[in-house]
Amino acid sequence: MPGKNDVINSDGKKYQKRILNDYLSNLYEKFKADHPYVEISFSTFCKFQPTYIHVTSVLSRNICLCNKHQSFAMKLQCLRSLGVKISPNPENIVKSITEADMKNMLSEITKENIEYEEWQTVVESERKRLRVVRVRKTKVEFEEIMITEYSDFIKHTDRVKDQFKALRDLKENLPAGHVIIQMDFDENFVCQAVDEIQSAYFNSTGVTIHPVVAYHKDDKGIIQHKSLVFVSDIGQHKATAVLTIINKLIPELQKLFPDVNMVHYWTDSPSSQYRNRFIFDAVKRHEELFGVAARWNYFECGHGKGPCDGIGGTAKRQVAEAVKQGKTQIQDAHDFFSWAVQNQKSIQYIFYSQSEYDKMVESISSLKLKPVPGTMKLHAICNRNNT
Ligand SMILES: [Zn+2]
């Protein structure tokens, strides 16, 4: 919570109040996937929730991590406002309401016209933005939409659970020489002056932060992890940036784990970053381009944050605190990188520059790969994505 007064005292320390933006049952599945050797029941997991972290019964309109969860939660709110006795939590619906129950509940509605809120892409000042808008439908239309969305939502939650189970199984049975990579772009760190006089001299600059967590099994067969954060002044977060990161990541993995011969990527599925033909082509040619074979696995859109979120948040918070206390000034990505390398020893920081990014595009162009039927040449991919 953003206010200075949104603070709670716990264990003699002050903590900023925070709101959970995912359901505890989802977080429990994520925790089990991240820590496959920890035996913990759901109720015990919930007891460890810190006092300064609050749950919301329904996702706030300011948070849109997963469209499907958000959209379904908004329709449940609408049903409740129409007098239907139903839980506002979409996860409870999955556990307790059948399609027949849902149809019965919808038949209770007496209003002929129904208004509800949903996220839509709208054009504002010639830019596309996601906004909550009010939608009006007839009762019959609303019933059809609700039944379709209920069925889609059940499939969505099943896929989320299956994906976390698959990741957990892979961690438990990870063969020697295989490495799992979970990664995601974090929100940019915004460089700000500590006082107004300074702010007159430089603009707020965004620093790209891309956390990576690498998992492998040690000599005793125990899974270990290494946290890395890629920092850059390149604002572009598309496939070309991802390939530049991979080009620097693989040599680091080879240093950390000399026997690496297979990389299993696990990421969220935004089409502009990880789930596009550029990345598909790179995975197909991964061994040829980067020297190690690879598989790429996707989480349901909005469910792939995992451990990367925590690492990125920690990195940015500590830098922001140092700026606030006047210990340092961070005016660009280079300043961020230098400070983090000096002060956050538990995380390995790697910088990628504009020239490295450009070189990546050039070096792939110079490979002069023969066109493969059904796929695109990678240099064409990068050049196109770069424009
Ligand atoms: Zn979801």
Side-chain angles (χ1 to χ4, degrees):
M1 294 170 78
K4 280 184 186 166
N5 296 328
D6 295 325
V7 170
I8 201 163
N9 285 313
S10 179
D11 308 327
K13 286 185 191 166
K14 280 185 177 178
Y15 294 94
Q16 194 78 14
K17 283 186 196 170
R18 296 187 183 276
I19 302 286
L20 270 187
N21 55 20
D22 202 347
Y23 297 97
L24 280 164
S25 53
N26 283 350
L27 295 173
Y28 177 59
E29 293 299 327
K30 279 185 191 175
F31 179 84
K32 285 198 296 180
D34 290 342
H35 306 278
Y37 298 111
V38 178
E39 290 283 336
I40 186 168
S41 69
F42 178 61
S43 58
T44 310
F45 174 78
C46 294
K47 278 183 200 158
F48 281 108
Q49 183 184 328
T51 51
Y52 58 91
I53 294 184
H54 300 256
V55 285
T56 46
S57 56
V58 65
L59 290 174
S60 144
R61 59 161 56 196
N62 298 321
I63 303 160
C64 185
L65 292 178
C66 162
N67 276 343
K68 287 193 169 74
H69 265 86
Q70 187 85 352
S71 170
F72 197 58
M74 284 173 158
K75 291 199 178 59
L76 293 176
Q77 287 277 35
C78 169
L79 280 179
R80 283 165 66 86
S81 71
L82 293 167
V84 177
K85 289 193 176 70
I86 193 164
S87 166
N89 184 338
E91 295 287 319
N92 292 346
I93 305 299
V94 175
K95 287 178 202 146
S96 58
I97 305 280
T98 64
E99 190 171 327
D101 293 334
M102 181 60 79
K103 282 181 179 164
N104 280 338
M105 286 179 181
L106 290 167
S107 69
E108 290 172 22
I109 300 172
T110 51
K111 260 183 138 183
E112 277 311 308
N113 288 301
I114 293 159
E115 282 192 18
Y116 60 90
E117 292 183 323
E118 70 177 21
W119 286 94
Q120 280 186 11
T121 306
V122 294
V123 178
E124 284 178 5
S125 310
E126 297 179 14
R127 287 189 66 185
K128 284 183 181 175
R129 290 176 192 279
L130 269 176
R131 288 271 182 263
V132 173
V133 295
R134 267 196 102 67
V135 181
R136 189 181 166 95
K137 297 282 178 195
T138 65
K139 180 174 178 273
V140 175
E141 286 170 338
F142 181 74
E143 280 177 8
E144 279 173 15
I145 290 168
M146 200 63 206
I147 293 296
T148 307
E149 207 159 302
Y150 167 84
S151 154
D152 286 349
F153 187 74
I154 299 279
K155 288 175 197 158
H156 168 65
T157 52
D158 283 348
R159 285 194 297 270
V160 170
K161 285 194 181 99
D162 287 348
Q163 287 156 2
F164 284 124
K165 185 179 178 306
L167 176 58
R168 193 167 68 234
D169 289 348
L170 180 62
K171 280 183 184 170
E172 281 176 357
N173 305 304
L174 195 66
H178 286 222
V179 173
I180 297 170
I181 293 294
Q182 278 189 264
M183 59 186 191
D184 199 6
F185 281 98
D186 207 334
E187 261 181 49
N188 281 2
F189 176 84
V190 180
C191 302
Q192 282 178 328
V194 287
D195 60 45
E196 286 178 20
I197 298 165
Q198 287 174 345
S199 70
Y201 291 97
F202 63 92
N203 297 322
S204 294
T205 308
V207 178
T208 290
I209 309 284
H210 187 276
V212 174
V213 185
Y215 297 89
H216 82 115
K217 275 192 173 165
D218 63 16
D219 299 340
K220 293 173 189 152
I222 308 291
I223 201 135
Q224 305 288 354
H225 73 274
K226 172 82 183 163
S227 303
L228 308 100
V229 172
F230 286 77
V231 178
S232 182
D233 46 6
I234 298 170
Q236 194 255 49
H237 289 181
K238 292 186 179 172
T240 319
V242 174
L243 293 172
T244 310
I245 288 167
I246 290 174
N247 197 38
K248 296 201 78 165
L249 172 65
I250 300 297
E252 287 305 320
L253 292 183
Q254 287 167 329
K255 275 188 228 160
L256 290 165
F257 321 117
D259 65 338
V260 59
N261 57 44
M262 168 62 85
V263 178
H264 301 263
Y265 294 98
W266 280 83
T267 66
D268 208 334
S269 45
S271 53
S272 62
Q273 296 168 359
Y274 305 118
R275 188 173 51 90
N276 51 57
R277 56 201 162 131
F278 316 131
I279 297 294
F280 297 163
D281 205 34
V283 173
K284 186 170 188 278
R285 304 179 193 189
H286 203 279
E287 191 158 9
E288 176 190 354
L289 295 169
F290 306 110
V292 182
R295 286 184 195 143
W296 205 297
N297 309 272
Y298 294 98
F299 291 109
E300 282 284 282
C301 203
H303 287 268
K305 286 275 174 208
C308 300
D309 219 14
I311 293 164
T314 304
K316 288 189 295 187
R317 195 181 59 249
Q318 290 183 1
V319 175
E321 277 171 11
V323 171
K324 224 180 193 176
Q325 291 163 7
K327 290 181 185 167
T328 186
Q329 277 198 33
I330 306 291
Q331 297 190 40
D332 57 22
H334 293 277
D335 289 350
F336 185 103
F337 176 71
S338 304
W339 190 91
V341 167
Q342 288 286 322
N343 295 282
Q344 294 178 341
K345 304 286 184 198
S346 60
I347 299 171
Q348 182 174 344
Y349 283 87
I350 299 168
F351 193 90
Y352 67 98
S353 63
Q354 183 72 48
S355 62
E356 285 171 320
Y357 173 88
D358 294 341
K359 213 184 273 176
M360 170 70 183
V361 177
E362 281 169 27
S363 67
I364 293 170
S365 300
S366 67
L367 287 174
K368 294 193 174 75
L369 302 174
K370 284 185 180 171
V372 179
T375 63
M376 292 187 69
K377 290 178 83 172
L378 200 51
H379 75 264
I381 287 166
C382 284
N383 285 338
R384 185 176 304 180
N385 200 39
N386 202 21
T387 55

